[in-house]
Each structure stands twice: as structure tokens, then as C-alpha cells.
């Protein structure tokens, strides 16, 4: 199983980035997916997640209204569209997948819920 995140980079405040996470070795339809940001304490905080049925999403308060998580199961890719970026959004972003053991509507909001992780992609927001 491999999750490959990409799309990070340098953007000015107010700008946009789209992160991508290419999954191989798993079927996204059987996994909830999430995006996390690593914070100063080395913990990973939830940014957004999507249930395995693709119908339910969750956003952190920081991300709500500015970020959008989406999925293209045919391509095995998960996206995070980030708009109106702020300096405090900067950091390493990770994608993760959680094999669905219960409800297909389940939204895993904690890093410990996830089975698979990709390497991070760095987002820098600066003028």
C-alpha cells in the first residue's frame, strides 16, 4: 500500500493550492480518507476527511468554508482544494486512509484511526 501526496508549495496569503494523494494497493471505495496537518508538537491534526461511501465529509473549524476534500475513485486519488490560504495554514500535510470496518458513513477524525499514511507535502504561505 502506498499513498503519495503532492501539490504543496509556496503561495501568498489569499492564494490557493490543490493537494493530491495518489493511492495504490487499496481501493478507495473501501476506505475513509483524510488530510492532516502536522503541528508543532509533532501531532497530526485533522484538516478534513471523507467517509468511504464518499457522501459524508468533515472539516476542522480552521478548514471549514475554505477547503474542500474530494475523491476520484477511478483514478485512486484524493484531493484537498485549499482556498484563501492563511499564514497559519502552513505546514506539512499528510493524507491517510482507514479501512472501513463498520459504517460506510464513518468519519475518522483522529490520526490513530488510520491504517495507512503517505509522506507529507509542505505548504508554505508567505508574502
Amino acid at each position: 500500500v502506498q499513498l503519495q501526496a503532492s501539490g504543496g508549495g509556496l503561495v501568498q496569503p489569499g492564494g490557493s493550492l490543490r493537494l493530491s494523494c495518489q493511492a495504490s494497493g487499496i481501493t478507495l471505495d473501501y476506505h475513509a480518507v483524510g488530510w492532516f496537518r502536522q503541528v508543532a508538537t509533532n501531532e497530526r491534526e485533522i484538516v478534513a476527511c471523507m467517509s468511504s461511501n464518499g457522501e459524508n465529509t468533515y472539516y476542522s473549524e480552521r478548514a471549514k468554508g475554505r477547503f474542500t476534500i474530494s475523491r476520484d475513485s477511478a483514478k485512486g486519488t484524493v484531493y484537498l482544494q485549499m482556498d484563501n490560504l492563511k499564514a497559519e495554514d502552513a505546514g506539512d500535510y499528510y493524507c491517510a486512509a482507514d479501512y472501513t470496518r463498520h459504517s460506510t458513513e464513518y468519519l475518522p477524525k483522529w490520526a490513530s484511526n488510520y491504517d495507512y499514511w503517505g509522506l507529507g507535502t509542505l505548504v508554505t504561505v508567505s508574502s
Side-chain angles (χ1 to χ4, degrees):
V1 176
Q2 189 172 18
L3 300 177
Q4 182 67 49
S6 62
L10 173 64
V11 63
Q12 292 184 344
S16 298
L17 281 175
R18 188 177 80 157
L19 306 184
S20 299
C21 177
Q22 179 69 55
S24 58
I26 60 172
T27 302
L28 289 181
D29 289 349
Y30 300 144
H31 292 77
V33 291
W35 285 96
F36 287 78
R37 187 177 71 98
Q38 187 146 322
V39 297
T41 58
N42 280 333
E43 294 179 349
R44 294 178 181 179
E45 64 176 16
I46 185 79
V47 176
C49 62
M50 174 179 283
S51 59
S52 62
N53 66 5
E55 296 178 4
N56 301 287
T57 56
Y58 168 84
Y59 295 92
S60 67
E61 285 302 312
R62 176 195 301 272
K64 201 174 295 183
R66 298 187 298 126
F67 295 2
T68 304
I69 187 171
S70 62
R71 181 182 81 184
D72 186 333
S73 296
K75 294 183 178 179
T77 305
V78 183
Y79 303 98
L80 183 69
Q81 177 67 41
M82 304 190 295
D83 298 319
N84 191 21
L85 280 159
K86 303 177 182 180
E88 54 263 40
D89 296 320
D92 282 309
Y93 282 72
Y94 295 83
C95 62
D98 172 40
Y99 178 72
T100 298
R101 296 170 176 81
H102 307 289
S103 169
T104 58
E105 299 176 346
Y106 177 58
L107 290 167
K109 301 173 185 175
W110 301 99
S112 58
N113 295 141
Y114 287 80
D115 300 303
Y116 308 110
W117 289 87
L119 297 178
T121 185
L122 180 63
V123 173
T124 304
V125 184
S126 176
S127 54

